[in-house]
Amino acid sequence: MDLATEWKLSAGRGEAEAGSAEMDFHQYVAARSAPLFRGALVLTGNRETAEDLVQETLERVCRKWRTIVAKDAPDAYVRRIMVNLANDRWRRFRRTVPHQDNGDMAAPGDEYGRIDSRDQLVRALQSLPMRMRTVVVLRYFHDLSDAEIAADLRISQSTVRSQLARGMEKLRSQFPAFSGPSSRQPEEGTR
């Protein structure tokens, strides 16, 4: 018998329920902290800031865990907390970092080039307005539908679609080489 089970058996009913909620929170953190960190990293563009954002998010989640776990979609509630905190940080520390895009694309086997491309993408995302960036991140990094994003951000689905279209247009304008036709597609007249 493990220690947690022994503790639950020996503790009173109220204490056992509190222990169970605490165990559930620890399980949630273990299962969801990596996806939360990836989303925070894309929202903030900085590893240290993303770590702080995830920590602050989980701190707030821990305080209200019993309420959150009782909801139908605790992930949506947690994402909403993280997005709100990111928006607050963005408003407080609004600053732009100029970045010159040299237009170089990474060769398929070039690991350093891929890292540079990833860095350029994160910087391009950082140049988007916060709501637009949030919609793009929730769609492409968290694989949420229009309805789920609209519910998380408390906006209409049409606003989600327009923000997504505008955000992708801005990203494509910064990466024209990525928005052209794939090299695998044959051009007209070639066999």
Side-chain angles (χ1 to χ4, degrees):
M1 184 180 303
D2 66 335
L3 188 60
T5 307
E6 287 181 32
W7 182 78
K8 284 181 185 178
L9 292 174
S10 65
R13 180 177 169 89
E15 291 176 358
E17 288 174 4
S20 175
E22 186 176 316
M23 291 295 280
D24 289 340
F25 176 72
H26 290 298
Q27 291 169 350
Y28 179 83
V29 170
R32 301 299 300 158
S33 60
L36 284 173
F37 176 74
R38 285 192 302 270
L41 183 61
V42 175
L43 283 172
T44 62
N46 180 318
R47 184 176 185 81
E48 291 80 20
T49 307
E51 289 171 350
D52 291 344
L53 180 60
V54 170
Q55 183 175 357
E56 191 173 353
T57 300
L58 291 175
E59 176 187 344
R60 290 195 183 188
V61 168
C62 183
R63 282 191 246 148
K64 297 181 179 186
W65 180 246
R66 289 186 185 167
T67 305
I68 293 170
V69 79
K71 304 276 184 199
D72 289 337
D75 282 339
Y77 193 89
V78 173
R79 274 193 309 271
R80 181 70 185 166
I81 290 172
M82 186 170 72
V83 167
N84 286 342
L85 289 171
N87 287 341
D88 292 346
R89 284 175 179 261
W90 182 76
R91 284 186 204 109
R92 275 187 302 218
F93 303 112
R94 188 180 297 185
R95 62 184 170 156
T96 58
V97 179
H99 178 70
Q100 298 295 327
D101 183 19
N102 56 10
D104 293 338
M105 288 184 47
D110 183 13
E111 292 298 319
Y112 293 113
R114 275 199 224 153
I115 292 170
D116 289 341
S117 295
R118 202 173 307 143
D119 182 55
Q120 289 174 356
L121 177 61
V122 169
R123 288 180 189 266
L125 280 166
Q126 291 300 305
S127 71
L128 296 177
M130 188 62 184
R131 177 173 284 175
M132 202 177 288
R133 179 182 345 149
T134 302
V135 168
V136 170
V137 167
L138 291 176
R139 167 57 61 82
Y140 292 106
F141 289 87
H142 289 283
D143 294 324
L144 298 182
S145 68
D146 291 347
E148 292 170 322
I149 295 170
D152 278 3
L153 299 180
R154 296 184 185 125
I155 58 177
S156 69
Q157 289 184 36
S158 60
T159 302
V160 169
R161 288 188 295 273
S162 69
Q163 292 289 313
L164 186 62
R166 290 179 187 155
M168 293 307 294
E169 181 180 326
K170 286 185 178 189
L171 289 174
R172 285 184 185 112
S173 71
Q174 293 183 20
F175 293 101
F178 292 125
S179 59
S182 172
S183 60
R184 292 183 190 173
Q185 294 176 340
E187 294 182 19
E188 198 170 88
T190 60
R191 291 188 158 220

